[in-house]
PDB file of all heavy atoms in Angstrom:
ATOM      1  N   GLY A   1     -65.447  -1.024 -25.084  1.00  0.00           N
ATOM      2  CA  GLY A   1     -65.961  -2.343 -24.431  1.00  0.00           C
ATOM      3  C   GLY A   1     -66.798  -2.135 -23.266  1.00  0.00           C
ATOM      4  O   GLY A   1     -66.853  -1.090 -22.798  1.00  0.00           O
ATOM      5  N   GLY A   2     -67.373  -3.258 -22.860  1.00  0.00           N
ATOM      6  CA  GLY A   2     -68.104  -3.219 -21.671  1.00  0.00           C
ATOM      7  C   GLY A   2     -69.635  -3.256 -21.799  1.00  0.00           C
ATOM      8  O   GLY A   2     -70.343  -3.481 -20.840  1.00  0.00           O
ATOM      9  N   GLY A   3     -70.207  -3.019 -23.044  1.00  0.00           N
ATOM     10  CA  GLY A   3     -71.531  -2.918 -23.273  1.00  0.00           C
ATOM     11  C   GLY A   3     -71.988  -1.783 -24.103  1.00  0.00           C
ATOM     12  O   GLY A   3     -71.149  -0.865 -24.529  1.00  0.00           O
ATOM     13  N   PRO A   4     -73.283  -1.688 -24.357  1.00  0.00           N
ATOM     14  CA  PRO A   4     -73.823  -0.570 -25.285  1.00  0.00           C
ATOM     15  C   PRO A   4     -73.755   0.759 -24.621  1.00  0.00           C
ATOM     16  O   PRO A   4     -73.792   0.880 -23.304  1.00  0.00           O
ATOM     17  CB  PRO A   4     -75.119  -0.994 -25.591  1.00  0.00           C
ATOM     18  CG  PRO A   4     -75.605  -1.918 -24.526  1.00  0.00           C
ATOM     19  CD  PRO A   4     -74.330  -2.683 -23.954  1.00  0.00           C
ATOM     20  N   LEU A   5     -73.760   1.838 -25.369  1.00  0.00           N
ATOM     21  CA  LEU A   5     -73.802   3.198 -24.937  1.00  0.00           C
ATOM     22  C   LEU A   5     -75.159   3.761 -25.499  1.00  0.00           C
ATOM     23  O   LEU A   5     -75.521   3.452 -26.479  1.00  0.00           O
ATOM     24  CB  LEU A   5     -72.578   4.099 -25.389  1.00  0.00           C
ATOM     25  CG  LEU A   5     -71.274   3.541 -25.228  1.00  0.00           C
ATOM     26  CD1 LEU A   5     -70.259   4.616 -25.808  1.00  0.00           C
ATOM     27  CD2 LEU A   5     -70.875   3.437 -23.754  1.00  0.00           C
ATOM     28  N   GLY A  29     -72.714   6.382  -1.659  1.00  0.00           N
ATOM     29  CA  GLY A  29     -71.930   5.533  -2.379  1.00  0.00           C
ATOM     30  C   GLY A  29     -71.685   5.740  -3.838  1.00  0.00           C
ATOM     31  O   GLY A  29     -70.803   5.287  -4.357  1.00  0.00           O
ATOM     32  N   VAL A 112     -71.274  11.210 -13.552  1.00  0.00           N
ATOM     33  CA  VAL A 112     -72.019  10.730 -12.345  1.00  0.00           C
ATOM     34  C   VAL A 112     -71.932   9.042 -12.427  1.00  0.00           C
ATOM     35  O   VAL A 112     -72.409   8.569 -13.325  1.00  0.00           O
ATOM     36  CB  VAL A 112     -73.459  11.127 -12.408  1.00  0.00           C
ATOM     37  CG1 VAL A 112     -74.223  10.452 -11.147  1.00  0.00           C
ATOM     38  CG2 VAL A 112     -73.735  12.611 -12.443  1.00  0.00           C
ATOM     39  N   ARG A 113     -71.239   8.638 -11.369  1.00  0.00           N
ATOM     40  CA  ARG A 113     -71.027   7.145 -11.337  1.00  0.00           C
ATOM     41  C   ARG A 113     -71.950   6.402 -10.274  1.00  0.00           C
ATOM     42  O   ARG A 113     -72.003   6.932  -9.138  1.00  0.00           O
ATOM     43  CB  ARG A 113     -69.468   6.762 -10.982  1.00  0.00           C
ATOM     44  CG  ARG A 113     -68.486   7.090 -11.975  1.00  0.00           C
ATOM     45  CD  ARG A 113     -67.195   6.479 -11.740  1.00  0.00           C
ATOM     46  NE  ARG A 113     -66.734   6.641 -10.396  1.00  0.00           N
ATOM     47  CZ  ARG A 113     -66.151   7.878  -9.967  1.00  0.00           C
ATOM     48  NH1 ARG A 113     -65.906   8.849 -10.929  1.00  0.00           N
ATOM     49  NH2 ARG A 113     -65.712   8.022  -8.699  1.00  0.00           N
ATOM     50  N   ARG A 114     -72.743   5.617 -10.830  1.00  0.00           N
ATOM     51  CA  ARG A 114     -73.698   4.886  -9.984  1.00  0.00           C
ATOM     52  C   ARG A 114     -73.281   3.363  -9.982  1.00  0.00           C
ATOM     53  O   ARG A 114     -72.226   2.983 -10.551  1.00  0.00           O
ATOM     54  CB  ARG A 114     -75.130   5.104 -10.548  1.00  0.00           C
ATOM     55  CG  ARG A 114     -75.570   6.547 -10.329  1.00  0.00           C
ATOM     56  CD  ARG A 114     -76.976   6.750 -11.085  1.00  0.00           C
ATOM     57  NE  ARG A 114     -76.879   6.744 -12.571  1.00  0.00           N
ATOM     58  CZ  ARG A 114     -77.427   7.706 -13.313  1.00  0.00           C
ATOM     59  NH1 ARG A 114     -77.909   8.755 -12.719  1.00  0.00           N
ATOM     60  NH2 ARG A 114     -77.394   7.497 -14.565  1.00  0.00           N
ATOM     61  N   SER A 115     -74.050   2.599  -9.267  1.00  0.00           N
ATOM     62  CA  SER A 115     -73.592   1.207  -9.061  1.00  0.00           C
ATOM     63  C   SER A 115     -73.403   0.502 -10.462  1.00  0.00           C
ATOM     64  O   SER A 115     -72.582  -0.444 -10.605  1.00  0.00           O
ATOM     65  CB  SER A 115     -74.647   0.398  -8.175  1.00  0.00           C
ATOM     66  OG  SER A 115     -75.937   0.461  -8.814  1.00  0.00           O
ATOM     67  N   ASN A 116     -74.316   0.728 -11.374  1.00  0.00           N
ATOM     68  CA  ASN A 116     -74.221   0.002 -12.685  1.00  0.00           C
ATOM     69  C   ASN A 116     -73.837   0.750 -13.871  1.00  0.00           C
ATOM     70  O   ASN A 116     -73.403   0.293 -14.905  1.00  0.00           O
ATOM     71  CB  ASN A 116     -75.626  -0.584 -13.001  1.00  0.00           C
ATOM     72  CG  ASN A 116     -76.066  -1.541 -12.005  1.00  0.00           C
ATOM     73  OD1 ASN A 116     -75.296  -2.415 -11.671  1.00  0.00           O
ATOM     74  ND2 ASN A 116     -77.395  -1.559 -11.456  1.00  0.00           N
ATOM     75  N   ASP A 117     -73.916   2.134 -13.713  1.00  0.00           N
ATOM     76  CA  ASP A 117     -73.630   2.916 -14.954  1.00  0.00           C
ATOM     77  C   ASP A 117     -72.928   4.213 -14.733  1.00  0.00           C
ATOM     78  O   ASP A 117     -72.912   4.664 -13.528  1.00  0.00           O
ATOM     79  CB  ASP A 117     -74.885   3.239 -15.775  1.00  0.00           C
ATOM     80  CG  ASP A 117     -75.921   4.002 -15.108  1.00  0.00           C
ATOM     81  OD1 ASP A 117     -75.652   4.967 -14.477  1.00  0.00           O
ATOM     82  OD2 ASP A 117     -77.138   3.563 -15.159  1.00  0.00           O
ATOM     83  N   LEU A 118     -72.371   4.769 -15.710  1.00  0.00           N
ATOM     84  CA  LEU A 118     -71.733   6.150 -15.761  1.00  0.00           C
ATOM     85  C   LEU A 118     -72.518   7.027 -16.578  1.00  0.00           C
ATOM     86  O   LEU A 118     -72.955   6.663 -17.683  1.00  0.00           O
ATOM     87  CB  LEU A 118     -70.379   6.161 -16.213  1.00  0.00           C
ATOM     88  CG  LEU A 118     -69.725   7.585 -16.474  1.00  0.00           C
ATOM     89  CD1 LEU A 118     -69.183   8.051 -15.226  1.00  0.00           C
ATOM     90  CD2 LEU A 118     -68.603   7.420 -17.642  1.00  0.00           C
ATOM     91  N   TRP A 119     -72.997   8.162 -15.959  1.00  0.00           N
ATOM     92  CA  TRP A 119     -73.805   9.148 -16.821  1.00  0.00           C
ATOM     93  C   TRP A 119     -72.840  10.315 -16.987  1.00  0.00           C
ATOM     94  O   TRP A 119     -72.434  10.882 -16.070  1.00  0.00           O
ATOM     95  CB  TRP A 119     -75.088   9.574 -16.094  1.00  0.00           C
ATOM     96  CG  TRP A 119     -75.920  10.447 -16.890  1.00  0.00           C
ATOM     97  CD1 TRP A 119     -76.907  10.095 -17.926  1.00  0.00           C
ATOM     98  CD2 TRP A 119     -75.959  11.926 -16.933  1.00  0.00           C
ATOM     99  NE1 TRP A 119     -77.387  11.067 -18.447  1.00  0.00           N
ATOM    100  CE2 TRP A 119     -76.943  12.334 -17.907  1.00  0.00           C
ATOM    101  CE3 TRP A 119     -75.400  12.871 -16.193  1.00  0.00           C
ATOM    102  CZ2 TRP A 119     -77.205  13.692 -18.151  1.00  0.00           C
ATOM    103  CZ3 TRP A 119     -75.507  14.277 -16.356  1.00  0.00           C
ATOM    104  CH2 TRP A 119     -76.499  14.626 -17.379  1.00  0.00           C
ATOM    105  N   THR A 144     -74.782   7.520 -21.540  1.00  0.00           N
ATOM    106  CA  THR A 144     -74.849   6.482 -20.424  1.00  0.00           C
ATOM    107  C   THR A 144     -74.123   5.294 -20.892  1.00  0.00           C
ATOM    108  O   THR A 144     -74.194   4.781 -21.944  1.00  0.00           O
ATOM    109  CB  THR A 144     -76.295   6.118 -20.099  1.00  0.00           C
ATOM    110  OG1 THR A 144     -77.114   7.212 -19.849  1.00  0.00           O
ATOM    111  CG2 THR A 144     -76.422   5.108 -18.956  1.00  0.00           C
ATOM    112  N   ALA A 145     -73.159   4.850 -20.067  1.00  0.00           N
ATOM    113  CA  ALA A 145     -72.246   3.716 -20.313  1.00  0.00           C
ATOM    114  C   ALA A 145     -72.083   2.786 -19.117  1.00  0.00           C
ATOM    115  O   ALA A 145     -72.336   3.272 -18.005  1.00  0.00           O
ATOM    116  CB  ALA A 145     -70.859   4.274 -20.692  1.00  0.00           C
ATOM    117  N   PRO A 146     -71.698   1.506 -19.405  1.00  0.00           N
ATOM    118  CA  PRO A 146     -71.575   0.592 -18.206  1.00  0.00           C
ATOM    119  C   PRO A 146     -70.440   1.125 -17.317  1.00  0.00           C
ATOM    120  O   PRO A 146     -69.345   1.663 -17.837  1.00  0.00           O
ATOM    121  CB  PRO A 146     -71.094  -0.624 -18.993  1.00  0.00           C
ATOM    122  CG  PRO A 146     -71.679  -0.513 -20.426  1.00  0.00           C
ATOM    123  CD  PRO A 146     -71.662   0.906 -20.713  1.00  0.00           C
ATOM    124  N   VAL A 147     -70.642   1.044 -16.054  1.00  0.00           N
ATOM    125  CA  VAL A 147     -69.670   1.609 -15.127  1.00  0.00           C
ATOM    126  C   VAL A 147     -68.331   1.020 -15.082  1.00  0.00           C
ATOM    127  O   VAL A 147     -67.264   1.558 -14.766  1.00  0.00           O
ATOM    128  CB  VAL A 147     -70.286   1.637 -13.586  1.00  0.00           C
ATOM    129  CG1 VAL A 147     -70.379   0.166 -13.146  1.00  0.00           C
ATOM    130  CG2 VAL A 147     -69.543   2.608 -12.748  1.00  0.00           C
ATOM    131  N   HIS A 148     -68.235  -0.303 -15.562  1.00  0.00           N
ATOM    132  CA  HIS A 148     -66.965  -0.981 -15.724  1.00  0.00           C
ATOM    133  C   HIS A 148     -66.413  -1.035 -17.159  1.00  0.00           C
ATOM    134  O   HIS A 148     -65.487  -1.732 -17.315  1.00  0.00           O
ATOM    135  CB  HIS A 148     -67.039  -2.443 -15.112  1.00  0.00           C
ATOM    136  CG  HIS A 148     -67.460  -2.385 -13.625  1.00  0.00           C
ATOM    137  ND1 HIS A 148     -66.669  -1.875 -12.675  1.00  0.00           N
ATOM    138  CD2 HIS A 148     -68.548  -2.941 -13.023  1.00  0.00           C
ATOM    139  CE1 HIS A 148     -67.313  -1.941 -11.461  1.00  0.00           C
ATOM    140  NE2 HIS A 148     -68.385  -2.644 -11.703  1.00  0.00           N
ATOM    141  N   GLY A 149     -66.989  -0.351 -18.023  1.00  0.00           N
ATOM    142  CA  GLY A 149     -66.705  -0.344 -19.438  1.00  0.00           C
ATOM    143  C   GLY A 149     -65.525   0.545 -19.645  1.00  0.00           C
ATOM    144  O   GLY A 149     -64.992   1.209 -18.870  1.00  0.00           O
ATOM    145  N   THR A 150     -65.063   0.440 -20.958  1.00  0.00           N
ATOM    146  CA  THR A 150     -63.842   1.174 -21.345  1.00  0.00           C
ATOM    147  C   THR A 150     -64.017   2.745 -21.262  1.00  0.00           C
ATOM    148  O   THR A 150     -63.088   3.519 -20.708  1.00  0.00           O
ATOM    149  CB  THR A 150     -63.506   1.055 -22.849  1.00  0.00           C
ATOM    150  OG1 THR A 150     -63.318  -0.452 -22.965  1.00  0.00           O
ATOM    151  CG2 THR A 150     -62.145   1.676 -23.288  1.00  0.00           C
ATOM    152  N   LEU A 151     -65.067   3.293 -21.559  1.00  0.00           N
ATOM    153  CA  LEU A 151     -65.346   4.728 -21.529  1.00  0.00           C
ATOM    154  C   LEU A 151     -65.332   5.242 -20.056  1.00  0.00           C
ATOM    155  O   LEU A 151     -64.705   6.273 -19.775  1.00  0.00           O
ATOM    156  CB  LEU A 151     -66.680   5.115 -22.195  1.00  0.00           C
ATOM    157  CG  LEU A 151     -67.052   6.667 -22.195  1.00  0.00           C
ATOM    158  CD1 LEU A 151     -65.995   7.473 -22.823  1.00  0.00           C
ATOM    159  CD2 LEU A 151     -68.421   6.902 -22.648  1.00  0.00           C
ATOM    160  N   ALA A 152     -65.982   4.516 -19.262  1.00  0.00           N
ATOM    161  CA  ALA A 152     -66.061   4.904 -17.840  1.00  0.00           C
ATOM    162  C   ALA A 152     -64.695   4.877 -17.182  1.00  0.00           C
ATOM    163  O   ALA A 152     -64.342   5.761 -16.389  1.00  0.00           O
ATOM    164  CB  ALA A 152     -67.056   3.974 -17.077  1.00  0.00           C
ATOM    165  N   ARG A 153     -63.925   3.797 -17.531  1.00  0.00           N
ATOM    166  CA  ARG A 153     -62.619   3.727 -16.967  1.00  0.00           C
ATOM    167  C   ARG A 153     -61.788   4.783 -17.457  1.00  0.00           C
ATOM    168  O   ARG A 153     -60.912   5.497 -16.704  1.00  0.00           O
ATOM    169  CB  ARG A 153     -61.970   2.380 -17.395  1.00  0.00           C
ATOM    170  CG  ARG A 153     -62.450   1.206 -16.636  1.00  0.00           C
ATOM    171  CD  ARG A 153     -61.578  -0.017 -16.807  1.00  0.00           C
ATOM    172  NE  ARG A 153     -61.239  -0.270 -18.129  1.00  0.00           N
ATOM    173  CZ  ARG A 153     -61.967  -1.143 -18.856  1.00  0.00           C
ATOM    174  NH1 ARG A 153     -62.953  -1.771 -18.289  1.00  0.00           N
ATOM    175  NH2 ARG A 153     -61.588  -1.364 -20.103  1.00  0.00           N
ATOM    176  N   GLU A 154     -61.773   5.302 -18.745  1.00  0.00           N
ATOM    177  CA  GLU A 154     -60.976   6.259 -19.189  1.00  0.00           C
ATOM    178  C   GLU A 154     -61.354   7.613 -18.713  1.00  0.00           C
ATOM    179  O   GLU A 154     -60.479   8.529 -18.532  1.00  0.00           O
ATOM    180  CB  GLU A 154     -60.991   6.296 -20.778  1.00  0.00           C
ATOM    181  CG  GLU A 154     -60.386   4.997 -21.382  1.00  0.00           C
ATOM    182  CD  GLU A 154     -60.448   5.110 -22.941  1.00  0.00           C
ATOM    183  OE1 GLU A 154     -61.112   5.931 -23.588  1.00  0.00           O
ATOM    184  OE2 GLU A 154     -59.780   4.282 -23.568  1.00  0.00           O
ATOM    185  N   VAL A 155     -62.567   7.879 -18.605  1.00  0.00           N
ATOM    186  CA  VAL A 155     -63.042   9.205 -17.911  1.00  0.00           C
ATOM    187  C   VAL A 155     -62.456   9.231 -16.576  1.00  0.00           C
ATOM    188  O   VAL A 155     -62.033  10.310 -16.220  1.00  0.00           O
ATOM    189  CB  VAL A 155     -64.605   9.302 -18.011  1.00  0.00           C
ATOM    190  CG1 VAL A 155     -65.009  10.530 -17.233  1.00  0.00           C
ATOM    191  CG2 VAL A 155     -65.062   9.472 -19.356  1.00  0.00           C
ATOM    192  N   ARG A 156     -62.646   8.207 -15.753  1.00  0.00           N
ATOM    193  CA  ARG A 156     -62.215   8.165 -14.382  1.00  0.00           C
ATOM    194  C   ARG A 156     -60.667   8.387 -14.330  1.00  0.00           C
ATOM    195  O   ARG A 156     -60.150   9.181 -13.472  1.00  0.00           O
ATOM    196  CB  ARG A 156     -62.636   7.015 -13.679  1.00  0.00           C
ATOM    197  CG  ARG A 156     -62.135   6.896 -12.229  1.00  0.00           C
ATOM    198  CD  ARG A 156     -63.004   6.292 -11.292  1.00  0.00           C
ATOM    199  NE  ARG A 156     -62.651   6.378  -9.970  1.00  0.00           N
ATOM    200  CZ  ARG A 156     -63.338   5.836  -8.977  1.00  0.00           C
ATOM    201  NH1 ARG A 156     -64.175   4.959  -9.160  1.00  0.00           N
ATOM    202  NH2 ARG A 156     -62.985   6.016  -7.722  1.00  0.00           N
TER     203      ARG A 156
END
Side-chain angles (χ1 to χ4, degrees):
L5 309 180
V112 179
R113 288 193 310 278
R114 297 174 286 230
S115 58
N116 295 319
D117 60 43
L118 170 82
W119 187 83
T144 303
V147 74
H148 298 299
T150 301
L151 178 62
R153 286 197 306 272
E154 291 182 352
V155 169
R156 180 149 190 188

